[in-house]
Amino acid sequence: MSTIEILSWPFTKDSINQINNSEQFLNYPVIYVLNSNKEAYIGETVYFKNRMRAHLKTRKNINKINLIKHDEFNRSYFYIANNTPIMLLDIRINKD
């Protein structure tokens, strides 16, 4: 079984534009987490750069992109994952 790989970038137009257009994950199903110190957004897409550009227009408080990829991800997997309750996800925000 392949391992999960997590790639991270600052959530900026320049960072997204600098991602090489020949990257394998650009037109392949991926899960991503957009986050800041106080919020996180979890999504999935097949068209990564296009989706990140769309988020840049609406998600103003985000400062980091985390892309999660795995060789065995496919659209059927994402359909099941999106339609099944996530019971083990525990996001805690440290409010100091």
Side-chain angles (χ1 to χ4, degrees):
M1 184 168 136
S2 299
T3 60
I4 291 175
E5 186 176 355
I6 299 173
L7 306 173
S8 298
W9 301 272
F11 186 59
T12 65
K13 183 178 180 180
D14 288 339
S15 293
I16 294 166
N17 288 338
Q18 289 177 8
I19 296 170
N20 188 328
N21 285 331
S22 65
E23 289 287 352
Q24 182 183 25
F25 60 79
L26 290 182
N27 296 307
Y28 194 78
V30 293
I31 295 173
Y32 59 91
V33 179
L34 304 178
N35 66 284
S36 66
N37 290 337
K38 297 197 178 207
E39 68 180 282
Y41 174 87
I42 301 169
E44 63 90 10
T45 187
V46 175
Y47 305 106
F48 181 71
K49 283 177 90 170
N50 290 340
R51 188 68 180 124
M52 293 307 104
R53 287 182 184 122
H55 280 310
L56 279 171
K57 296 175 184 175
T58 60
R59 302 214 175 263
K60 302 300 182 190
N61 296 322
I62 298 297
N63 58 26
K64 188 174 181 182
I65 304 167
N66 299 285
L67 174 122
I68 304 166
K69 66 179 202 168
H70 190 281
D71 292 340
E72 296 180 11
F73 284 172
N74 59 49
R75 286 305 276 183
S76 296
Y77 172 83
F78 285 120
Y79 179 80
I80 292 166
N82 282 333
N83 290 293
T84 303
I86 299 174
M87 306 251 180
L88 300 176
L89 181 61
D90 181 12
I91 299 176
R92 295 184 180 152
I93 300 173
N94 185 6
K95 295 183 180 182
D96 292 324

